[in-house]
Amino acid sequence: MTNGNEAVNLAAEQSKETADKNLPAFGDLPIPDDTANLRQGPNLHDGLLALLPLVGVWRGQGQANPPGTEEDITFGQQVVFSHDGENRLAYESRTWRMDDDGQPAGPARRETGWWTIDDDDNIEVIIAHSDGVAEIMYGKPMNERAWELQSNHVVATQNGRTDVQAGKRLYGLMPNNNLGWVDERVYDGEMAPWMSAELRRVMG
């Protein structure tokens, strides 16, 4: 188990490679650009302090187990948590397929949405999935390095996937300061693993 001081020292060491990188932006809007780097751009809103460790750009690999199959799929992923100084985090996930040799083999699922948290540490997440699903999740911080969410509403569009049912997600900073996450979904009346990944901070 990593203690607070060790985590801070590890984050400081990693920041030597990531502190000068940020989201690409045009920079010509009359409002602040989104930033995924706490050292650049507008200050993080005080209301988001419980979500502060998530801010950044994270990349890595994960595994997916489609419901009702024995298939085990490896995918690459980039997750971005950014802000514009307002009391919300913008969230974006992009994934890509991996071939049998571990090489990228084309784009896959995407997600985009918003995270907010109130004064009582109630987290609300709105996510639009690229495969035609809209989802609202609620949750709480488990501690200052982990966050748990549970589906409240899952709605498929007319052409969307109907096999994505209610579920829960756990996000957490691991002892190596990587971001790990696990998504479980209801299948045949029981919760079953669907997707998980371990991501390394590359910006912020």
Side-chain angles (χ1 to χ4, degrees):
M1 186 72 176
T2 304
N3 65 39
N5 289 335
E6 290 173 341
V8 169
N9 292 336
L10 180 58
E13 187 64 27
Q14 290 179 336
S15 73
K16 294 177 181 178
E17 299 178 12
T18 65
D20 61 337
K21 298 176 180 178
N22 202 359
L23 295 175
F26 294 105
D28 60 352
L29 294 178
I31 53 176
D33 289 321
D34 283 356
T35 177
N37 191 329
L38 295 172
R39 300 168 185 83
Q40 299 182 30
N43 292 330
L44 186 73
H45 193 284
D46 288 345
L48 297 173
L49 292 180
L51 302 176
L52 179 152
L54 292 169
V55 177
V57 179
W58 307 83
R59 289 182 190 158
Q61 287 191 1
Q63 298 291 320
N65 307 95
T69 74
E70 298 296 325
E71 194 174 7
D72 194 11
I73 300 171
T74 299
F75 63 89
Q77 184 181 34
Q78 174 176 280
V79 168
V80 179
F81 287 97
S82 61
H83 74 96
D84 60 2
E86 295 299 308
N87 196 9
R88 62 193 174 219
L89 289 183
Y91 162 80
E92 181 186 33
S93 166
R94 299 188 67 172
T95 62
W96 50 93
R97 300 185 302 276
M98 307 291 288
D99 64 22
D100 292 340
D101 297 321
Q103 299 301 309
R109 298 183 73 252
R110 299 181 67 167
E111 296 177 349
T112 187
W114 303 96
W115 286 51
T116 58
I117 185 168
D118 66 18
D119 293 339
D120 295 320
D121 282 345
N122 297 303
I123 301 170
E124 179 179 278
V125 178
I126 305 169
I127 300 175
H129 302 249
S130 61
D131 41 15
V133 175
E135 182 170 18
I136 298 174
M137 307 186 87
Y138 293 107
K140 288 263 192 181
M142 300 177 67
N143 53 52
E144 71 262 11
R145 292 170 61 85
W147 306 264
E148 188 173 43
L149 306 169
Q150 187 140 356
S151 297
N152 183 265
H153 296 290
V154 179
V155 180
T157 64
Q158 181 173 333
N159 298 318
R161 289 180 59 168
T162 58
D163 61 334
V164 179
Q165 302 298 315
K168 62 182 180 179
R169 287 190 185 186
L170 176 65
Y171 291 82
L173 295 183
M174 305 169 73
N176 60 5
N177 250 29
N178 286 352
L179 178 64
W181 67 270
V182 178
D183 189 311
E184 296 182 335
R185 296 285 158 165
V186 173
Y187 182 74
D188 279 349
E190 296 184 1
M191 200 72 76
W194 181 31
M195 301 179 76
S196 63
E198 180 177 347
L199 312 173
R200 182 177 182 272
R201 185 189 294 276
V202 297
M203 297 182 191

